[in-house]
Amino acid sequence: MKLLISNDDGISALGIRTLANYLAEAGHDVNVVCPDRERSATGHGLTLHQPIRAEIVEGIFHPAIKAWACDGTPSDCVKLALWALLDAPPDLVLSGINQGANLGTEILYSGTVSAAMEGLIEGIPSVALSLISHTSKDFQPAAKFAKILVDQLAQKPLPDLMLLNVNIPALKWEEIAGVTLTRQGVRRYIDVFDKRVDPRGKTYYWLTGEVIEDVEPPIGLNLPQNVPLDVHVVRKNYISITPLQYNLTYADGLNKLSEWEFNFP
């Protein structure tokens, strides 16, 4: 398959090098366009008021891979790749492998998921891949599963245009319990700002939020209740796959608000 790979951890991140090299060695046609530095938690931001630059990078990836480092956001990288850098659209957009989970409501902030979502917006099926650890450097099991998933999608394409948000436990391959389709959960945080003073006496704040609980999403989202939550299955050492779409319309809200009446003169 012709693959476009991006991330939000930057061109030097071990996760993207492991993923890209693993898939190139398996015979896939791999192109990499990703930020030139870490751009985590940037959401779906785009650069509008300054130019975006991209430079070809050599010596980091497998020799068969063509790679660019871009000074924009993860979404910038994918948009630039699809509209300016690649000679033809890819069959699949991959983002990752991220250093750290993207579960529940974290996907709203995630640059990893946003890079994949940009592919989806452009009509290309996409996959976001995250390793559930901020410290583990063993990305091989996650890359191995990515290859299995890509090979499966090559043989049996997705039935509809969607994004697969994949979270892989930071375990040895033989310790992973299996793969489970999931729905998005909710992660609640203590959003603590650490108040500090710089050497010039100016006050600044550093966000240091921590997860305090994983909870059920509200009822009324038209989601099957028998499907487990992503935040729950990863605790049992399963790989979580949650299908996502960019349309955020609240269907139950439409039904409830249909009773409203607006009287204009």
Side-chain angles (χ1 to χ4, degrees):
M1 298 183 78
K2 184 177 178 66
L3 306 176
L4 169 62
I5 300 180
S6 191
N7 74 348
D8 70 356
D9 287 332
I11 191 74
S12 300
L14 180 58
I16 195 169
R17 283 187 283 132
T18 304
L19 176 65
N21 291 344
Y22 202 100
L23 293 174
E25 290 168 2
H28 294 286
D29 179 5
V30 177
N31 290 274
V32 170
V33 183
C34 68
D36 58 4
R37 60 194 184 281
E38 183 175 348
R39 300 298 296 266
S40 298
T42 53
H44 207 100
L46 293 174
T47 301
L48 300 178
H49 302 294
Q50 63 187 51
I52 301 172
R53 305 182 190 279
E55 296 184 359
I56 292 178
V57 175
E58 297 177 341
I60 294 180
F61 296 95
H62 186 282
I65 297 173
K66 192 169 185 180
W68 291 263
C70 171
D71 66 355
T73 67
S75 297
D76 285 332
C77 292
V78 174
K79 188 177 284 292
L80 184 68
L82 297 178
W83 286 99
L85 299 179
L86 301 187
D87 55 6
D91 301 308
L92 191 66
V93 173
L94 298 167
S95 181
I97 302 165
N98 189 64
Q99 183 82 69
N102 280 299
L103 296 162
T105 42
E106 290 171 342
I107 68 171
L108 297 173
Y109 308 104
S110 169
T112 302
V113 175
S114 292
M117 191 66 79
E118 188 62 39
L120 187 69
I121 290 171
E122 297 295 342
I124 301 168
S126 303
V127 179
L129 297 146
S130 301
L131 183 69
I132 306 175
S133 171
H134 288 287
T135 57
S136 174
K137 300 303 179 184
D138 185 8
F139 288 91
Q140 288 294 327
K144 182 176 181 178
F145 179 72
K147 178 187 177 298
I148 292 172
L149 182 59
V150 169
D151 290 345
Q152 178 167 314
L153 293 175
Q155 298 298 320
K156 189 176 181 181
L158 292 169
D160 295 307
L161 186 63
M162 66 183 76
L163 186 164
L164 301 181
N165 185 39
V166 182
N167 283 271
I168 304 104
L171 300 168
K172 295 180 180 179
W173 181 257
E174 59 272 14
E175 295 175 347
I176 296 176
V179 185
T180 303
L181 291 176
T182 55
R183 56 194 169 101
Q184 179 188 338
V186 175
R187 306 206 94 171
R188 298 199 188 281
Y189 288 78
I190 299 176
D191 288 327
V192 178
F193 282 92
D194 188 3
K195 185 178 180 180
R196 304 179 184 181
V197 178
D198 68 19
R200 296 186 178 183
K202 300 291 186 180
T203 301
Y204 68 98
Y205 301 88
W206 200 295
L207 179 62
T208 59
E210 296 182 0
V211 176
I212 57 171
E213 61 178 345
D214 297 322
V215 299
E216 289 275 347
I219 297 173
L221 299 180
N222 295 327
L223 295 172
Q225 297 300 302
N226 61 326
V227 176
L229 297 176
D230 55 1
V231 293
H232 290 166
V233 303
V234 296
R235 291 179 178 173
K236 300 176 181 178
N237 297 338
Y238 282 87
I239 295 172
S240 165
I241 301 181
T242 306
L244 303 177
Q245 255 291 352
Y246 52 76
N247 192 322
L248 301 180
T249 304
Y250 180 28
D252 199 47
L254 285 176
N255 293 330
K256 292 178 179 178
L257 297 181
S258 65
E259 300 175 359
W260 283 15
E261 293 184 3
F262 297 95
N263 297 316
F264 279 90

